[in-house]
Amino acid sequence: MAIEMQMTASLGSAELIPVRCTVMRGGTSKAVFLPAEVVPESASARERFLLALMGSPDPRQIDGLGGADLLTTKVAIIGPSTRKDADLDYTFAQVSVTRPEVYFDMNCGNISSAVGVYAVEQGLIPSQEPLTRIRIHNRNTHTVLLSDVPVKGNHALVEGDCTVDGVPGTGAAVKMDYHLTAGGATGSLLPTGHAQDVIAIEGWGEVRISVVDIANVGFMVSAEDVGLDPSKIPAVPDQDLLRKMDALQRTVAKLLGMAQGQLTPIPVIVAPPHDFETIVGGVAVEADQVDIVSEVIGGQPLTLHKAFPGTTSVTLAVAAKIPGTVAYELARKEDTHTVRIGHPSGRMEVGVRVSSSSSHDGSVVVDEASYLRTARLLMDGITYLRRSRL
């Protein structure tokens, strides 16, 4: 195999550059994983490099490794840790399919679940049976994620009984915990200082939102407040809804002092638990199987997330445990440490434990914010980039 790889690498030419890469599935997403040393350091060169890698902009991404979908046009850049409290650095890049743009303002929770698996498979982390804990420094959010990877010998386990709606079959469970990421982007779990705010959207009116910063910055808005029938969620958005959500996202970004037209803050539409059919596969989900129903309108340009982002599941689940938030008002009230989210591909469970701060100021402390995903190695080898695009 080593000889074959060397021979393949030697095929680089005056027009093509060989680049070592790995393709991983993490949860309901796929990404190209790259060692940090192969990625250009300057922002402009890095953007050209990643666009060439994925074949963007092109609706089919036919001349690159992109999958022509929001969930399969992702990149993970892995390098040595720059923090003492982490084992490695991980930078997530969302490459636009149709625009010549690359976004770094958020993390991907599904791809995060593949980072630990990648580290074990590449020998970056000493493995320890039965679980290897990996502390991942996510450079997008400047926070540390905890990943528990099941291993045997020097390899991450693939087979297991964990199911992920939106992924065929079962696999070994990778546990991700985000409780250390609270306030990572804005400095506060509740960036506006309130569990709920009312904001005015020009040409639309007033809307109730809840902004929560954990894993990523997201804001919850009820389906009813954006003109939707809550019993019809999840649903494929029409152009009118996409325009509304774009205006809402830009207004919330301005409120938070964040750049507009980026991936964050992530728009999350929520509705009370009810019977629904998944958009992907038409599978029936009953109301008593979920605590809240939601869909994410994400990416750039905005589009429906066909499953549910891992990070946003944490944002929503934590919000559902904080009295006064839009999510709390709509979610089922049960004294459990699990929030079951209904979404376009089925259901997802998030383990949540919150407590009051010892400062007696009414603030909330997140003690656990975890979920299970499956992840595995799909391909390891060499890709070729056109020099003319760099």
Side-chain angles (χ1 to χ4, degrees):
M1 177 63 74
I3 294 176
E4 292 176 0
M5 295 294 287
Q6 291 173 9
M7 290 175 63
T8 305
S10 69
L11 295 178
S13 67
E15 296 183 319
L16 295 175
I17 298 176
V19 176
R20 176 66 185 269
C21 71
T22 302
V23 178
M24 304 284 299
R25 178 186 62 78
T28 56
S29 294
K30 286 195 294 188
V32 178
F33 277 61
L34 298 169
E37 63 265 23
V38 308
V39 181
E41 292 185 4
S42 78
S44 58
R46 180 178 62 178
E47 182 173 84
R48 293 193 300 272
F49 178 91
L50 296 177
L51 289 169
L53 174 75
M54 304 306 276
S56 292
D58 171 35
R60 293 195 299 149
Q61 292 182 314
I62 197 65
D63 201 35
L65 298 183
D69 186 274
L70 173 68
L71 306 187
T72 55
T73 310
K74 305 184 176 191
V75 176
I77 302 169
I78 310 298
S81 178
T82 54
R83 290 175 52 150
K84 293 181 179 180
D85 59 347
D87 299 308
L88 54 81
D89 277 6
Y90 149 58
T91 302
F92 171 71
Q94 179 73 59
V95 181
S96 175
V97 176
T98 58
R99 296 176 178 177
E101 298 171 354
V102 182
Y103 300 92
F104 295 94
D105 63 310
M106 62 166 278
N107 180 28
C108 174
N110 280 292
I111 295 307
S112 294
S113 68
V115 172
V117 175
Y118 172 85
V120 170
E121 291 299 318
Q122 296 291 327
L124 304 179
I125 301 294
S127 60
Q128 181 177 348
E129 297 183 18
L131 288 175
T132 297
R133 166 156 288 192
I134 301 171
R135 302 167 302 168
I136 302 168
H137 171 213
N138 175 238
R139 301 194 65 170
N140 306 78
T141 59
H142 311 291
T143 57
V144 175
L145 329 174
L146 303 178
S147 179
D148 290 331
V149 179
V151 300
K152 186 172 184 179
N154 295 321
H155 296 282
L157 289 177
V158 174
E159 305 299 340
D161 58 6
C162 179
T163 61
V164 175
D165 286 354
V167 180
T170 63
V174 176
K175 182 179 180 180
M176 299 297 301
D177 193 325
Y178 288 78
H179 79 275
L180 297 175
T181 69
T186 64
S188 176
L189 178 65
L190 299 176
T192 68
H194 309 105
Q196 188 173 142
D197 295 274
V198 178
I199 61 174
I201 307 299
E202 185 177 353
W204 185 6
E206 293 187 335
V207 179
R208 297 174 303 124
I209 64 166
S210 293
V211 184
V212 178
D213 178 4
I214 184 168
N216 275 319
V217 184
F219 66 91
M220 274 57 63
V221 59
S222 73
E224 193 170 15
D225 274 10
V226 294
L228 299 177
D229 180 347
S231 67
K232 303 300 183 182
I233 296 296
V236 177
D238 59 20
Q239 289 302 311
D240 181 57
L241 178 60
L242 291 176
R243 284 191 293 269
K244 286 182 177 180
M245 297 308 294
D246 180 69
L248 183 55
Q249 185 194 41
R250 290 176 181 276
T251 302
V252 177
K254 184 177 180 180
L255 174 68
L256 299 177
M258 301 174 67
Q260 298 181 40
Q262 299 296 301
L263 301 182
T264 56
I266 298 172
V268 187
I269 299 174
V270 291
H274 58 267
D275 297 346
F276 69 92
E277 282 193 358
T278 62
I279 293 175
V280 181
V283 178
V285 178
E286 297 181 358
D288 63 2
Q289 295 178 297
V290 296
D291 300 313
I292 194 167
V293 179
S294 180
E295 65 179 42
V296 168
I297 308 297
Q300 284 295 339
L302 291 179
T303 188
L304 174 71
H305 192 295
K306 297 184 181 70
F308 209 78
T311 52
T312 307
S313 73
V314 168
T315 312
L316 175 56
V318 169
K321 291 296 185 179
I322 301 176
T325 68
V326 172
Y328 181 87
E329 292 179 352
L330 298 176
R332 190 190 309 277
K333 306 298 187 295
E334 291 190 357
D335 188 21
T336 69
H337 297 297
T338 301
V339 176
R340 302 170 300 169
I341 300 170
H343 60 75
S345 288
R347 301 183 307 131
M348 182 174 181
E349 294 187 0
V350 182
V352 180
R353 294 177 185 269
V354 299
S355 58
S356 298
S357 170
S358 58
S359 63
H360 305 293
D361 61 357
S363 60
V364 175
V365 174
V366 181
D367 302 306
E368 179 187 359
S370 66
Y371 57 81
L372 301 179
R373 300 274 88 177
T374 62
R376 78 174 185 92
L377 171 70
L378 297 178
M379 189 283 295
D380 192 51
I382 301 291
T383 188
Y384 293 87
L385 306 189
R386 297 172 66 166
R387 292 182 187 270
S388 60
R389 293 206 55 190
L390 303 180

